[in-house]
């Protein structure tokens, strides 16, 4: 997302050993999203402490007994209110994607970071893909990824948002 190229293939781009792929979304997200962002800000002691604590709770947040099997969905990757509209014909459209396959809830992170989407959007979405237990906590987790990504791209002004998310979450 943005100028910070993130690994999108299990295993990471640095490791072309395809005999050891990341077997599921939770492990991919831990290693290639949260883990990667944390690796880019090693000098931030508070963020590192928070990240280390959070890594130990990911199994609980992605527990298959709660979430079920996470089937990859095609994601926009940068879905927020500035990247969607309704065309003059009344057809909804999205633009400026950073598309990848992942958990269907993952797009909600960037949307939340920049004010969320309309209740009509969420109502329609959950008619197609029903809300899963724990989705609110995972949305905060996905939002945290974007705060860290923006902190790594644009600087410390996004650190406060990341720390605040951690303080206000159950994780």
């Amino acid at each position: 997302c943005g100028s910070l190229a993130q690994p999108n293939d299990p295993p990471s781009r640095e490791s072309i050993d395809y005999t050891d792929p990341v077997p599921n979304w939770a492990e991919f997200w831990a290693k290639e999203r949260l883990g990667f962002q944390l690796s880019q800000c090693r000098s931030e002691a508070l963020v590192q402490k928070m990240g280390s604590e959070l890594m130990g709770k990911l199994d609980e947040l992605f527990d298959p007994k709660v979430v079920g099997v996470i089937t990859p969905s095609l994601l926009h990757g940068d879905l927020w209110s500035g990247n969607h509209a309704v065309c003059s014909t009344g057809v909804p459209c999205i633009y400026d994607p950073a598309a990848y396959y992942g958990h269907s809830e993952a797009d909600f992170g960037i949307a939340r970071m920049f004010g969320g989407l309309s209740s009509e959007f969420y109502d329609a979405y959950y008619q197609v893909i029903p809300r899963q237990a724990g989705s609110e906590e995972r949305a905060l987790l996905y939002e945290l990824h974007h705060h860290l990504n923006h902190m790594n791209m644009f600087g410390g002004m996004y650190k406060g948002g990341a720390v605040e998310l951690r303080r206000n979450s159950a994780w």
Side-chain angles (χ1 to χ4, degrees):
C1 181
S3 61
L4 185 61
Q6 298 181 88
N8 284 315
D9 299 312
S12 70
R13 291 179 191 167
E14 295 82 33
S15 167
I16 310 295
D17 179 7
Y18 288 99
T19 62
D20 185 27
V22 178
N24 63 51
W25 171 252
E27 290 183 34
F28 173 82
W29 197 87
K31 180 180 177 187
E32 306 293 5
R33 290 296 180 262
L34 182 59
F36 176 77
Q37 291 302 330
L38 290 170
S39 76
Q40 301 302 300
C41 61
R42 292 197 190 280
S43 64
E44 295 286 346
L46 180 60
V47 172
Q48 291 300 314
K49 180 179 185 295
M50 178 181 74
S52 177
E53 292 169 355
L54 181 54
M55 284 291 209
K57 297 180 180 185
L58 291 179
D59 286 345
E60 179 184 326
L61 290 165
F62 289 108
D63 184 346
K65 294 175 193 154
V66 176
V67 184
V69 175
I70 297 175
T71 303
S73 297
L74 181 59
L75 301 172
H76 182 281
D78 194 17
L79 185 61
W80 60 286
S81 61
N83 282 346
H84 75 87
V86 176
C87 298
S88 61
T89 60
V91 175
C93 62
I94 56 175
Y95 37 87
D96 194 22
Y100 68 100
Y101 284 94
H103 187 199
S104 60
E105 298 173 354
D107 267 339
F108 296 158
I110 192 79
R112 287 179 62 102
M113 183 175 170
F114 291 115
L117 300 168
S118 71
S119 60
E120 293 86 5
F121 171 88
Y122 291 108
D123 290 345
Y125 178 88
Y126 288 126
Q127 284 179 2
V128 175
I129 301 174
R131 182 186 302 263
Q132 298 293 314
S135 63
E136 285 299 315
E137 286 301 310
R138 285 187 302 279
L140 295 173
L141 183 65
Y142 290 135
E143 182 180 351
L144 173 64
H145 165 257
H146 290 287
H147 280 277
L148 293 174
N149 186 48
H150 280 72
M151 183 182 85
N152 288 325
M153 287 190 302
F154 304 118
M157 64 187 172
Y158 287 95
K159 177 180 175 181
V163 171
E164 192 66 21
L165 275 174
R166 174 63 179 102
R167 283 193 187 123
N168 293 327
S169 70
W171 34 264

